[in-house]
Amino acid sequence: MTGKTKLSITFHGGVGSVTGANFLLADDGPQEKKILIDCGFFQGSRVAEKKNREPFPYDPKEIDTLIITHAHLDHIGRIPKLVHDGFRGPIYSTPPTRDITELSLTDSLGVLTKEAKGSKEPIIYNKVDVERSMKQWKTVDYHQEFELGDWQVSLLDAGHILGSAMIRFVHQPSGKVFVFTGDLGNSPSLLLRDTEVVADADYLVMESVYGDRNHENHEVALAKLEDVIEDTVNAQGTLMVPAFSIERTQELLHEIEKMVEGSRIPVVPVFLDSPLAIKVTDIYSRYLDYLNKEVNELINKGNAIFRFPQLHRTLKTSESKAIAGIEGPKIIIAGSGMSNGGRIIHHEKRFLADPKSALLLVGYQAAGSLGRQLEDGAKWVKILGEDVPVRARTVVISGYSAHKGSDDLFGFVSHSADKVKKVFVTMGEPHSSLFLVQRLRDYLGIDATMPEPGQQFEVEV
């Protein structure tokens, strides 16, 4: 076996948990390359978990290239740290991912600075590190091929958030195809095109956030959304929505606008209380080619998406603080989606004790986060150092998830069932990942596994 090229994948994050995506694809051939896929935050109760401060388990100076699947912090959060620690290679993604990443990393600096002061630890990265990262960035559109040594690389539409991509690597000397899915969208989406089909993967690294359960369908989710809005408005309460600034917020705005125009819900003020979400929404409006046909047809008919008379975009802190004093029912959409920072925690501190109000959870809540505590039915929570009683009702809607459910993840893999040699099930809590692993083994006869942190798998060609 001597003299053969070895290809390897090492799982430095995103295994055993949903967050911290960080995979290393390497080959020891004549054009030896070390390529990182994603470099995200480990997330839970704090934005800056202790693990994010630890040195990388590889030398950043030896990494040739970084490719980003999409702009969620658990996939991009540690890029400036990687650059600070010596990475000088190019960073590739789609154009929307690049634009949203710059916003997200700049926005997270504020939270990181506050947490560093509170813990009396140095900040993970600074503004200069973000600026250096963006200077190293290169953008490619879907299906635009580029070469990295012996690898031919292209990005496929993952349908997860604006600009999200699966990364397809073809090792040209051997013809082996490696696909890293990033996060896979819950197609059909209200805004985005469907996840592309992958049918030729030899090795597949895939997500499993909902590997053990399915989502309710869109009709059920829409009915639940309508009900919780009507019930909260009729009770003269406040509907709080901790929403992820990217995709979930834009979907909710689109749904609420359609319901208002169709007279399906009462007319009430809707506050988009997240500077990041406001700016990301503007990016969505710039990249219409990345949205699906139905949305573009609406736009062509003169419908200005993400804007309606009842919508108030509160960029300033003073505008955000003023929301609490506005009488009558209202809807507040604010970040962060897991209630582990951002403006939503101030609204939760104010309104969770109000039995007329409601908290609507529309996204995944990581273990340890305030959002998970509320999802699990906590009667008291600690917010900004104070114990807050939870008297508002909590409503969970899974149909607006941006991730595929278990059946759709299984269906995605089935297209490659005749060719795929191994499936690495990642980016999920262990019970979700292991459920999907067993299902792929039992029903498709596929060699599937859940890697351990730091585990390396080699392929000789």
Side-chain angles (χ1 to χ4, degrees):
M1 303 294 280
T2 58
K4 289 194 173 183
T5 297
K6 286 184 179 179
L7 313 179
S8 66
I9 307 173
T10 309
F11 296 87
H12 292 299
V15 285
S17 70
V18 172
T19 63
N22 193 215
F23 311 120
L24 178 60
L25 177 65
D27 76 82
D28 64 357
Q31 300 192 67
E32 180 179 347
K33 287 289 180 183
K34 292 183 177 179
I35 305 168
L36 272 185
I37 294 87
D38 289 340
C39 191
F41 270 150
F42 295 96
Q43 291 177 302
S45 58
R46 298 173 63 196
V47 172
E49 293 291 333
K50 181 180 178 182
K51 290 175 71 174
N52 295 324
R53 299 183 178 278
E54 296 173 357
F56 289 102
Y58 44 80
D59 185 351
K61 298 184 185 72
E62 295 180 357
I63 301 301
D64 296 294
T65 306
L66 170 63
I67 308 179
I68 299 300
T69 61
H70 66 284
H72 277 144
L73 281 174
D74 58 328
H75 293 257
I76 62 169
R78 288 185 294 161
I79 295 174
K81 174 176 167 55
L82 188 76
V83 170
H84 180 273
D85 292 354
F87 170 65
R88 293 295 179 264
I91 305 170
Y92 287 90
S93 78
T94 63
T97 294
R98 190 262 181 214
D99 290 356
I100 297 172
T101 295
E102 185 170 19
L103 282 178
S104 295
L105 293 178
T106 301
D107 180 79
S108 67
L109 271 174
V111 178
L112 293 173
T113 301
K114 289 179 183 177
E115 289 188 350
K117 287 180 180 177
S119 63
K120 297 182 180 179
E121 293 179 296
I123 193 168
I124 293 174
Y125 61 79
N126 58 37
K127 182 180 179 182
V128 172
D129 298 322
V130 174
E131 291 171 348
R132 285 177 177 168
S133 300
M134 303 322 297
K135 287 178 181 177
Q136 293 172 218
W137 215 285
K138 298 177 182 292
T139 60
V140 290
D141 287 317
Y142 296 133
H143 306 288
Q144 181 182 338
E145 294 181 346
F146 58 101
E147 291 191 358
L148 300 174
D150 285 334
W151 298 96
Q152 185 183 71
V153 189
S154 58
L155 306 183
L156 308 178
D157 195 341
H160 173 59
I161 66 171
L162 188 74
S164 60
M166 299 177 279
I167 307 172
R168 182 177 183 270
F169 295 90
V170 181
H171 183 249
Q172 297 183 88
S174 67
K176 300 296 182 188
V177 178
F178 291 70
V179 175
F180 292 76
T181 69
D183 289 341
L184 294 169
N186 183 21
S187 302
S189 162
L190 290 172
L191 301 174
L192 304 178
R193 296 189 293 255
D194 290 353
T195 304
E196 290 191 60
V197 172
V198 172
D200 63 348
D202 292 294
Y203 298 92
L204 182 62
V205 179
M206 67 177 297
E207 68 123 314
S208 59
V209 173
Y210 290 95
D212 63 341
R213 56 205 187 278
N214 290 309
H215 307 305
E216 60 210 358
N217 64 39
H218 178 248
E219 288 73 21
V220 172
L222 179 60
K224 280 189 175 182
L225 178 61
E226 185 176 336
D227 286 347
V228 71
I229 291 174
E230 286 185 338
D231 292 346
T232 307
V233 170
N234 289 338
Q236 297 294 296
T238 296
L239 178 61
M240 299 164 280
V241 189
F244 296 92
S245 297
I246 310 165
E247 191 65 24
R248 206 67 43 80
T249 291
Q250 291 74 35
E251 285 198 340
L252 286 173
L253 291 177
H254 191 50
E255 288 281 62
I256 292 171
E257 179 180 8
K258 289 192 297 182
M259 286 192 288
V260 169
E261 290 176 350
S263 301
R264 295 183 60 179
I265 59 173
V267 175
V268 293
V270 178
F271 296 94
L272 179 52
D273 189 30
S274 165
L276 178 60
I278 292 168
K279 294 171 185 176
V280 169
T281 301
D282 289 339
I283 290 176
Y284 268 68
S285 298
R286 293 207 307 268
Y287 285 102
L288 300 181
D289 288 347
Y290 283 74
L291 303 181
N292 63 33
K293 183 176 70 174
E294 291 75 17
V295 172
N296 274 282
E297 286 176 351
L298 282 175
I299 294 168
N300 291 335
K301 292 176 181 177
N303 190 318
I305 60 170
F306 312 132
R307 289 185 180 274
F308 49 96
Q310 297 79 25
L311 179 63
H312 305 273
R313 295 154 55 112
T314 52
L315 271 170
K316 298 178 181 178
T317 302
S318 58
E319 294 172 328
S320 175
K321 290 180 178 179
I323 294 173
I326 294 174
E327 296 294 330
K330 51 191 168 288
I331 300 170
I332 304 172
I333 301 172
S336 67
M338 299 182 194
S339 300
N340 56 358
R343 292 181 178 179
I344 191 63
I345 60 175
H346 297 278
H347 299 300
E348 290 171 341
K349 183 181 176 185
R350 168 68 178 81
F351 293 109
L352 279 176
D354 177 15
K356 297 180 296 184
S357 294
L359 177 74
L360 174 60
L361 300 178
V362 291
Y364 178 80
Q365 307 297 315
S369 65
L370 175 59
R372 175 63 73 87
Q373 295 175 47
L374 292 164
E375 182 179 46
D376 289 344
K379 300 301 182 185
W380 289 82
V381 292
K382 189 174 287 293
I383 301 177
L384 299 173
E386 292 187 22
D387 290 324
V388 177
V390 182
R391 301 191 186 98
R393 68 188 183 111
T394 298
V395 176
V396 179
I397 301 179
S398 68
Y400 290 105
S401 173
H403 293 264
K404 288 192 187 307
S406 184
D407 287 350
D408 289 333
L409 289 170
F410 179 87
F412 175 82
V413 179
S414 69
H415 294 289
S416 291
D418 292 338
K419 188 186 181 190
V420 72
K421 297 174 177 61
K422 198 171 191 70
V423 175
F424 302 96
V425 178
T426 65
M427 294 177 283
E429 293 180 11
H431 58 86
S432 296
S433 298
L434 290 172
F435 183 93
L436 185 59
V437 164
Q438 197 61 49
R439 192 175 180 193
L440 294 175
R441 289 175 179 173
D442 290 348
Y443 294 98
L444 293 178
I446 285 175
D447 181 4
T449 187
M450 183 188 79
E452 298 293 328
Q455 190 170 6
Q456 183 179 87
F457 291 82
E458 291 187 351
V459 178
E460 288 189 339
V461 295

